[in-house]
Amino acid sequence: MKKKLIQDAELVSNYINGDEAALSVLVHRHKQKIYSFIYSKVYDRDITEDIFQDTFIKVIKTLKRGKYNEEGKFLPWVMRIAHNLVIDHFRKNNRMPKFDNSGEFSIFSVLKDSSLNAEKSIIKEQVESDVRRIIEELPEDQKNVLMMRIYQDMSFKEISERTGVSINTALGRMRYALINMRKVIEQNNIVLTN
Amino acid sequence: MAKIYSQKTPKTIDLQPKDETISFLLNYSKALSVINYNKLKFEALLN
């Protein structure tokens, strides 16, 4: 005896009239198509499962509320619901702040790590110790003015008061200190670059 | 003779929803009842 295939439209109408088994037939009949359709868009089993479930929840609610009016087109209707939910899923994901560096603007052009890396911090230490050594070579009066100006951040007025010389003398000592340091650097080929 | 490296066809994945999902949906359907009241529709989930 040939088994008679009940059409979707009939099953839908039976379901609306309270036949729960009709829904089971509909779900089992179309589950593979709908599931594969969703999976082909999202490529994730868990998300597919969620969207599949949401699709049928929507189907069930619509049918039970008696709002379904596309008889004979059950599968395309369910597919459209699934499609809309897939779009919703992607929209929702786009709203999440995501880092995208594919465009012309690169965030790294405005953001950088200001801290020095290991190599640079070693170089910095070396440069600083070289400078200190050169300063030690300076005559005492020039060295004092330079130390007060650079390391203690004193003004020339303060330096002149502290050392008991005029501002012009302090300025002159500073000038000679720098000239002498440059000389030492050039003579010894010291590289002071960071 | 040249070796032919033909691409293996990937295993076909079984694209089926989980049984739990199906059973959840069928149970959800059984539990859901829509109550009509003066042109208003209320959904009620009865367990």
Side-chain angles (χ1 to χ4, degrees):
Chain A
M1 197 181 98
K2 202 178 169 185
K3 208 177 170 185
K4 197 190 157 202
L5 184 84
I6 311 167
Q7 294 294 312
D8 284 355
E10 199 182 331
L11 287 165
V12 169
S13 127
N14 289 350
Y15 177 67
I16 293 168
N17 292 324
D19 179 9
E20 289 291 333
L23 179 76
S24 173
V25 178
L26 283 167
V27 170
H28 282 99
R29 187 179 285 175
H30 299 300
K31 64 178 180 183
Q32 209 253 331
K33 271 185 192 161
I34 297 159
Y35 192 88
S36 323
F37 169 75
I38 301 165
Y39 186 79
S40 72
K41 306 283 181 226
V42 298
Y43 289 109
D44 184 292
R45 293 300 280 252
D46 293 333
I47 297 167
T48 307
E49 208 78 34
D50 283 353
I51 296 176
F52 179 86
Q53 189 174 298
D54 289 348
T55 304
F56 270 97
I57 286 176
K58 210 159 193 175
V59 167
I60 291 164
K61 278 187 182 173
T62 312
L63 292 177
K64 289 231 170 181
R65 280 170 165 255
K67 284 184 178 170
Y68 177 72
N69 56 5
E70 293 183 59
E71 277 189 53
K73 294 175 198 162
F74 178 74
L75 183 63
W77 173 62
V78 181
M79 288 291 226
R80 203 164 60 236
I81 293 173
H83 179 251
N84 289 341
L85 288 173
V86 167
I87 291 171
D88 285 352
H89 160 75
F90 283 116
R91 273 201 198 127
K92 206 161 53 190
N93 271 21
N94 278 348
R95 244 180 269 140
M96 301 285 282
K98 229 191 285 176
F99 174 64
D100 178 19
N101 201 20
S102 57
E104 278 180 20
F105 173 75
S106 165
I107 190 73
F108 292 114
S109 65
V110 288
L111 270 182
K112 63 176 179 184
D113 183 8
S114 58
S115 64
L116 298 169
N117 59 26
E119 189 193 352
K120 281 188 177 168
S121 68
I122 291 170
I123 294 171
K124 188 170 178 275
E125 273 172 32
Q126 283 175 352
V127 168
E128 282 169 359
S129 80
D130 284 346
V131 171
R132 288 238 175 214
R133 267 174 37 218
I134 298 164
I135 293 169
E136 290 301 318
E137 301 292 316
L138 291 171
E140 203 61 29
D141 53 349
Q142 293 173 21
K143 189 170 88 179
N144 285 342
V145 173
L146 188 129
M147 293 291 272
M148 282 187 258
R149 178 73 196 113
I150 305 295
Y151 291 99
Q152 294 165 30
D153 204 24
M154 289 163 72
S155 68
F156 281 103
K157 191 169 179 274
E158 287 167 331
I159 294 168
S160 73
E161 282 163 7
R162 176 78 63 86
T163 52
V165 295
S166 69
I167 292 178
N168 274 340
T169 310
L171 281 165
R173 284 177 183 172
M174 181 73 189
R175 185 168 167 264
Y176 279 109
L178 294 174
I179 289 169
N180 287 332
M181 281 179 78
R182 281 204 191 97
K183 265 190 205 160
V184 176
I185 291 164
E186 274 168 30
Q187 280 166 7
N188 298 292
N189 285 325
I190 301 168
V191 181
L192 294 174
T193 44
N194 203 345
Chain B
M1 204 180 122
K3 286 179 182 170
I4 299 165
Y5 296 97
S6 57
Q7 204 179 11
K8 275 187 187 170
T9 46
K11 274 187 185 172
T12 44
I13 338 159
D14 179 34
L15 288 173
Q16 296 266 1
K18 287 181 195 157
D19 289 343
E20 300 94 88
T21 311
I22 302 289
S23 102
F24 165 80
L25 286 168
L26 298 178
N27 288 329
Y28 174 80
S29 165
K30 281 174 197 159
L32 181 76
S33 68
V34 175
I35 303 150
N36 289 306
Y37 177 76
N38 284 351
K39 289 182 186 173
L40 293 169
K41 287 179 195 290
F42 298 98
E43 282 173 15
L45 268 177
L46 311 163
N47 277 315

